[in-house]
Amino acid sequence: MNKDTEIDMKEVELNELDPEKQPMTGDGQAPGGEKNGSVKLKVPDDEVTFTGLSKDELMKVAGTPGWVRTRWVLLVLFWLGWVGMLAGAIVIIVQAPRCKPIPEMSWWNEGPLYQITDVKAFSEGLKGVADKLDDLNQLKVKGLVIGPLHTVQANEITGLDLQSISPDRGTEEELLAVLEKAHKKSISVVLDLTPNYLGSNVWFDDAKTGEMIDRIKAAAEYWLGKGFDGIKIPDLIMAASTPEWPKLQLAVHANVTDNSKKRALMGVVEHVSAQVLSQLVNVSGISLTLSDLLSRESGGKERIMAMDTLHSQQRSVGWGLGAAQKDHLSKQATTTTLIRLYQLLLFTLPGTPVFTYGDEIGLQGNDTPKMVWNVEKEAPESNQTDHADIRKWFRSLSDLRGKERSLLHGDYYSLASSPSSLCFLRLWDQSERYITAVNWGKDGSEPVTLKLTPTDGVELPETAKVKLSSTEDKQVDSMIKLNEITLKAGEAVLLQFPYTG
């Protein structure tokens, strides 16, 4: 083959090349007019898909020694991991601290009770009470104690009718409307059946106490049958000493099963020591007592000793400052500072806090002052800010007590006391712990320094956080050392620290 023939053959081969493989022409195009850089891909007509190994191929491999060993290793690893996780879970459950069982609670243990001792001063009669329940619901009130409302003339036993409502207070229909609306808001209602509430002796005559208990029993059956949640009686010591007392207890607690709502038999106790009150709770079977201990005992040591005596019976003990005598808090707590102090004390004591209408705003006045609802319009200008601030303080305390188990039903430990101050600890299981420290000393008196001395093996941390403070001296969320707590006159503080195991 000569040279010319060789050249012709190369030209033919070059022409047969795909256009992508042909050399570029001078104008940057490949033969055929396609521009430089364009690429054409040839996609096969039939797409090839992966179908995996066939059954026969898998069977050939499955029985080989290598795969058998692999399967056994994976199976053993799986069961070892499962057993390990199970063992770990068991260890965690065993080592975790046990939760303390919640004690049996009644509705009167779940929040404050609110006494409406004079419906005319409270809301111009029974007709207006229902309209005020929204306000009371905001305060987290769990029970109303209304009355007395029944028909009676002072010291005239012949005019007594415990089953009818005195016309100057309202009607039975209005009372039942209050009951219905209160129940819709989960507020219980107790009726005060003090027989001679307008006279000098609540029983008319001590010799007639047994007769009065019989009449109260009949009235209790009537009103409880209407749906009321309990009754309140005066002078529990006299009442419980009569032969008729067990019959009254039976009437109040009749037809109450484990699944039904409990009924309250509430009794007032005055002028007795904490030891006598404790014995009375044990022997009388009373649901809730309301005593005047805080009003009579003004010393810190006496008050802390009363708490030490009664704390184990807290589900049957009600605390108030003036509530047993149907007085207002402001009668003894004569300043805004002291009102805030005693509100904090009552909400954190081991027992049920009991207030008289108006205590939530620090209402002041005569024996039955008219309730102030619209602070901006009805209250004197000098008291407007105080009323609003005290109500806000009351509401925050009530809300906190309802949420914190340590305050609601927790154990109690006294820590320190002085003639005008006291300090105690409330705790429950693994919940947050709370320390109450108050000093009700007179204005101008020297500050009190409390050295906390825990008992019964309870340990305290070095510091605690300020949860609530009645003054600006101790800022909320600041930390305070617990070895010594200094309080100015009229100062109250609630401290918080966590459970640490």
Side-chain angles (χ1 to χ4, degrees):
M1 186 181 295
N2 59 27
K3 187 177 295 185
D4 292 336
T5 304
E6 232 175 357
I7 292 172
D8 291 339
M9 291 298 292
K10 288 181 179 180
E11 288 178 355
V12 172
E13 291 174 359
L14 185 59
N15 289 334
E16 291 176 353
L17 290 174
D18 289 337
E20 293 84 358
K21 298 180 181 180
Q22 291 187 17
M24 298 295 177
T25 60
D27 58 1
Q29 293 185 349
E34 292 171 355
K35 292 184 179 180
N36 185 19
S38 63
V39 178
K40 291 185 178 180
L41 297 177
K42 290 186 177 181
V43 179
D45 293 336
D46 296 327
E47 194 71 38
V48 178
T49 56
F50 179 73
T51 59
L53 297 177
S54 66
K55 181 180 179 181
D56 293 337
E57 291 172 328
L58 286 172
M59 293 303 295
K60 289 180 182 179
V61 176
T64 59
W67 277 108
V68 172
R69 285 194 299 269
T70 301
R71 286 201 303 273
W72 275 108
V73 168
L74 291 174
L75 183 64
V76 170
L77 288 175
F78 168 79
W79 282 110
L80 286 176
W82 188 88
V83 171
M85 288 188 293
L86 178 63
I90 293 173
V91 169
I92 291 173
I93 293 171
V94 170
Q95 292 184 345
R98 293 286 187 273
C99 291
K100 195 173 181 180
I102 302 296
E104 183 180 355
M105 301 275 287
S106 303
W107 62 261
W108 54 85
N109 305 130
E110 297 174 354
L113 301 187
Y114 190 92
Q115 293 191 137
I116 305 176
T117 54
D118 188 330
V119 293
K120 293 186 290 184
F122 179 75
S123 58
E124 299 181 353
L126 277 172
K127 189 174 182 179
V129 174
D131 296 332
K132 306 304 180 185
L133 291 179
D134 288 334
D135 294 83
L136 301 184
N137 195 40
Q138 291 179 2
L139 301 176
K140 302 296 189 294
V141 168
K142 291 300 180 183
L144 299 180
V145 183
I146 301 181
L149 303 169
H150 52 264
T151 302
V152 68
Q153 294 179 359
N155 302 317
E156 294 289 339
I157 194 170
T158 55
L160 174 66
D161 187 352
L162 292 168
Q163 298 178 33
S164 69
I165 303 300
S166 178
D168 65 335
R169 285 163 171 75
T171 66
E172 181 173 321
E173 290 72 21
E174 291 168 348
L175 178 59
L176 294 177
V178 172
L179 176 68
E180 182 181 2
K181 187 171 181 179
H183 282 176
K184 288 180 180 179
K185 297 182 178 299
S186 299
I187 298 175
S188 301
V189 183
V190 172
L191 278 185
D192 188 335
L193 296 181
T194 301
N196 188 27
Y197 64 93
L198 297 176
S200 54
N201 185 321
V202 294
W203 305 116
F204 295 98
D205 185 324
D206 287 350
K208 295 186 179 296
T209 303
E211 178 188 342
M212 290 300 102
I213 293 297
D214 259 342
R215 297 180 71 164
I216 290 174
K217 169 185 170 292
E221 291 172 339
Y222 176 79
W223 292 114
L224 294 174
K226 297 284 186 181
F228 285 86
D229 304 293
I231 63 167
K232 176 188 173 188
I233 62 167
D235 195 1
L236 178 60
I237 291 181
M238 283 290 293
S241 64
T242 64
E244 291 77 14
W245 175 250
K247 300 176 185 177
L248 176 60
Q249 286 182 292
L250 222 65
V252 172
H253 301 306
N255 302 319
V256 176
T257 64
D258 292 338
N259 297 323
S260 62
K261 184 177 180 180
K262 291 184 178 180
R263 294 169 177 168
L265 179 54
M266 184 177 177
V268 176
V269 183
E270 297 182 76
H271 314 300
V272 301
S273 66
Q275 289 77 13
V276 172
L277 178 58
S278 177
Q279 293 171 4
L280 188 61
V281 169
N282 288 332
V283 301
S284 68
I286 194 76
S287 305
L288 186 70
T289 59
L290 177 58
S291 78
D292 63 345
L293 277 171
L294 281 182
S295 302
R296 286 189 300 105
E297 303 289 357
S298 59
K301 293 184 182 297
E302 291 77 14
R303 285 176 167 177
I304 207 84
M305 287 175 63
M307 297 174 204
D308 289 346
T309 301
L310 296 168
H311 73 88
S312 62
Q313 298 165 304
Q314 60 177 285
R315 282 174 284 285
S316 298
V317 174
W319 296 98
L321 189 71
Q325 307 94 312
K326 301 179 182 177
D327 289 336
H328 290 80
L329 197 81
S330 60
K331 189 169 184 178
Q332 293 191 45
T334 54
T335 66
T336 299
T337 302
L338 284 177
I339 290 171
R340 290 162 63 94
L341 180 149
Y342 279 109
Q343 285 181 352
L344 187 148
L345 180 61
L346 289 170
F347 271 113
T348 57
L349 281 172
T352 299
V354 183
F355 298 93
T356 303
Y357 78 91
D359 283 350
E360 73 273 24
I361 61 171
L363 185 65
Q364 298 176 329
N366 54 26
D367 290 340
T368 56
K370 184 178 180 181
M371 181 61 179
V372 175
W373 293 105
N374 192 326
V375 173
E376 289 75 15
K377 291 183 179 180
E378 300 176 35
E381 188 173 348
S382 58
N383 291 341
Q384 289 180 6
T385 302
D386 287 344
H387 283 341
D389 288 346
I390 292 172
R391 188 180 191 277
K392 183 179 179 181
W393 174 259
F394 183 101
R395 185 176 174 179
S396 64
L397 285 165
S398 185
D399 186 58
L400 182 67
R401 184 184 185 275
K403 292 178 180 178
E404 293 294 336
R405 290 181 176 178
S406 292
L407 298 177
L408 192 59
H409 51 70
D411 299 327
Y412 157 94
Y413 298 91
S414 57
L415 298 178
S417 64
S418 77
S420 66
S421 66
L422 57 82
C423 181
F424 57 85
L425 168 68
R426 299 296 305 282
L427 60 85
W428 180 259
D429 198 23
Q430 302 170 43
S431 300
E432 295 283 320
R433 280 87 163 94
Y434 288 91
I435 293 175
T436 295
V438 296
N439 174 19
W440 56 85
K442 295 180 179 180
D443 287 341
S445 59
E446 291 294 319
V448 171
T449 299
L450 297 173
K451 296 184 178 181
L452 307 192
T453 54
T455 57
D456 298 325
V458 176
E459 295 184 1
L460 297 177
E462 293 183 2
T463 60
K465 181 174 70 174
V466 176
K467 183 66 178 180
L468 291 171
S469 176
S470 64
T471 67
E472 296 180 355
D473 293 337
K474 294 177 175 61
Q475 295 295 320
V476 173
D477 292 333
S478 63
M479 303 301 292
I480 289 182
K481 292 183 178 180
L482 294 183
N483 57 341
E484 291 184 347
I485 298 178
T486 300
L487 301 172
K488 294 182 179 180
E491 187 175 8
V493 63
L494 183 65
L495 306 176
Q496 179 190 59
F497 62 92
Y499 168 78
T500 56

